[in-house]
Amino acid sequence: MELILLIIGTVFVNNIVLSQFLGICPFIGVSGRVNTSVGMSAAVAFVMVLATIVTYIIQLLLDKLGIAFMQTVTYILVIAALVQMVEIILKKVSPALYSALGIFLPLITTNCAILGVAILVYQKEFTLLPAVVYAFSNALGFGLALITFSGIREQLELANIPNGVKGVPIAFIVAGILAMAFMGFANIV
Amino acid sequence: MNQWNNFLKGFIKENPVFVFVLGMCPTLGTTGSAINGLGMGLATTFVLVLSNVFISLLAKYIPDKVRIPSYIVIIASFVTIVDLLMKAYTNTPGPNGEPSLYDNLGLFIPLIVVNCIVLGRAEAFASKNSVTSSLVDGLGIGLGFAFALTLLGAIREILGSMSVFGWKIAEGFAQLFNPATEYKQGDGMIAFVLAPGAFLALGYLIAFMNIIKKRYAK
């Protein structure tokens, strides 16, 4: 039951993009088409869960050695190496999946959502199972926001928009209205 | 290159927020008030200046193939330094139990390491230019980022809680004219302190900058 509450709370109430402001770069950058944003969301989900598990184990090691202040340096290196490794393994094992996710993987290293969730898991002192559930529901929340947003942006191209707000500004304004809609979920958990 | 122009370009012409739309996570996440925006901007400036200097010093010795991971390690070290410094010096809660600057910025301090501005300047500028130019470039871009964050923070704070840098506008003026007043101001438009206001305010601010730039170009 607690896990279900955790999932609902993370996907809707504390949505990673629209209320915690993590992963804004891909949210604005690759949300032009629904197809690409589905690919991006899948890649993020894959790496996010994997990175959370790996950094969870690394954190145990850091705590044991008493060098918890090295957290930022180690996490980012581990995530960067992990993304590279996933890319190489996917290329070898599943070329079909690689061609779908491949181009998004390098972008993910500097996606602050991945590092952010890894650090949040540490700050919230989760054990391994809730940590994995938390990471996966954050990825779901990211996908939900990104795919909804790209659907709106596809329609937006056909709309008649004033010159001044064309491009990035209208994207932010739409995101603001979307965030307002998500505020309606506040306090349900 | 003229160092003064190199410094000034970060504020308007090559402002990382208004022109390049980089570093959006801290821009949206830490601008609930002007002081938080300023704190975040200065922390990023510190990392940007030091990483720019060190990367321009080391660029000759770093093999081309491993340059991005090496840059990330250099940046991450300075982020750790900032994190520990801020934990030590900006971690005192306010007089009425308000959370400290360190608590307000929270997660976004370690996340400077994945801020695209820092890695972007390292790759595009510091690795190709002299130490002095890189220092000035880091300072200019960093302060431009701080300027953008403070501006956005001030706008959101005025609309959302009717105060600037923690100074309550209505109460302040009431006290100015009548020191004995017991007037207490109400809340502003809370939505501007919360998530939707961040997106809306930034969207309109970028639109405003675009319009000004078009006027200038004519």
Side-chain angles (χ1 to χ4, degrees):
Chain A
M1 191 61 211
E2 262 176 30
L3 287 181
I4 296 172
L5 282 182
L6 181 67
I7 294 173
I8 295 173
T10 337
V11 175
F12 294 108
V13 183
N14 292 315
N15 186 284
I16 184 163
V17 180
L18 295 171
S19 85
Q20 307 212 50
F21 306 117
L22 296 175
I24 303 285
C25 291
F27 182 67
I28 298 291
V30 287
S31 57
R33 289 265 163 278
V34 173
N35 293 344
T36 45
S37 57
V38 171
M40 183 71 189
S41 313
V44 165
F46 191 61
V47 175
M48 197 179 268
V49 172
L50 215 57
T52 306
I53 297 170
V54 174
T55 49
Y56 185 86
I57 297 163
I58 297 278
Q59 185 63 43
L60 294 180
L61 197 69
L62 287 182
D63 283 341
K64 203 167 189 181
L65 295 171
I67 47 171
F69 65 89
M70 288 293 282
Q71 196 190 40
T72 315
V73 183
T74 346
Y75 275 25
I76 188 70
L77 273 184
V78 166
I79 290 170
L82 186 76
V83 172
Q84 286 277 307
M85 219 165 70
V86 167
E87 203 178 336
I88 293 166
I89 292 172
L90 270 189
K91 211 178 199 169
K92 194 88 186 161
V93 177
S94 162
L97 197 60
Y98 178 77
S99 63
L101 303 184
I103 49 164
F104 301 109
L105 285 172
L107 290 176
I108 284 178
T109 317
T110 52
N111 180 342
C112 51
I114 308 285
L115 182 63
V117 166
I119 296 174
L120 276 174
V121 162
Y122 166 72
Q123 284 178 351
K124 296 188 180 219
E125 295 173 354
F126 282 135
T127 48
L128 191 55
L129 180 66
V132 171
V133 173
Y134 181 72
F136 185 68
S137 43
N138 264 323
L140 272 185
F142 179 80
L144 178 70
L146 186 65
I147 294 165
T148 318
F149 188 55
S150 62
I152 297 174
R153 278 187 88 172
E154 274 191 358
Q155 297 296 315
L156 214 57
E157 274 177 18
L158 307 172
N160 190 7
I161 302 162
N163 266 330
V165 292
K166 248 180 202 155
V168 178
I170 190 72
F172 275 113
I173 293 164
V174 168
I177 295 167
L178 204 57
M180 224 177 269
F182 269 74
M183 257 175 84
F185 291 115
N187 298 329
I188 59 167
V189 173
Chain B
M1 191 195 282
N2 185 339
Q3 296 294 9
W4 182 241
N5 285 341
N6 188 14
F7 174 71
L8 278 185
K9 71 173 191 264
F11 285 84
I12 302 290
K13 217 173 87 200
E14 291 185 23
N15 189 293
V17 174
F18 301 134
V19 179
F20 292 121
V21 201
L22 289 175
M24 281 300 113
C25 300
T27 307
L28 295 166
T30 63
T31 51
S33 68
I35 193 78
N36 287 351
L38 184 63
M40 187 67 211
L42 292 182
T44 312
T45 308
F46 180 87
V47 174
L48 193 53
V49 168
L50 285 173
S51 69
N52 255 8
V53 168
F54 271 73
I55 286 166
S56 69
L57 277 172
L58 294 171
K60 267 187 289 178
Y61 307 103
I62 297 174
D64 209 36
K65 277 189 178 157
V66 293
R67 70 179 191 287
I68 300 285
S70 323
Y71 295 167
I72 290 179
V73 175
I74 294 172
I75 295 166
S77 327
F78 290 118
V79 171
T80 309
I81 293 171
V82 168
D83 191 22
L84 294 175
L85 278 177
M86 291 190 75
K87 206 185 217 164
Y89 292 109
T90 64
N91 205 5
T92 37
N96 305 324
E98 297 106 348
S100 64
L101 183 64
Y102 182 77
D103 285 337
N104 274 331
L105 300 185
L107 185 61
F108 288 99
I109 299 171
L111 286 185
I112 297 174
V113 73
V114 282
N115 190 325
C116 338
I117 299 170
V118 184
L119 192 60
R121 291 326 286 181
E123 170 76 4
F125 197 93
S127 60
K128 300 186 191 103
N129 285 288
S130 72
V131 179
T132 337
S133 309
S134 304
L135 177 95
V136 175
D137 175 78
L139 206 59
I141 298 279
L143 291 179
F145 184 60
F147 160 71
L149 258 61
T150 315
L151 184 65
L152 185 61
I155 292 172
R156 284 179 66 191
E157 201 183 342
I158 291 171
L159 293 171
S161 45
M162 293 202 291
S163 55
V164 191
F165 285 102
W167 186 72
K168 292 189 169 136
I169 297 168
E171 266 177 45
F173 273 110
Q175 265 163 12
L176 208 64
F177 294 116
N178 175 12
T181 183
E182 296 201 344
Y183 169 70
K184 287 270 174 275
Q185 69 179 44
D187 293 328
M189 294 181 272
I190 294 291
F192 272 93
V193 179
L194 300 176
F199 288 106
L200 289 178
L202 184 61
Y204 282 112
L205 200 56
I206 293 177
F208 182 67
M209 292 284 169
N210 282 348
I211 291 167
I212 287 189
K213 232 182 338 183
K214 262 182 204 151
R215 286 272 158 84
Y216 258 103
K218 265 177 196 170

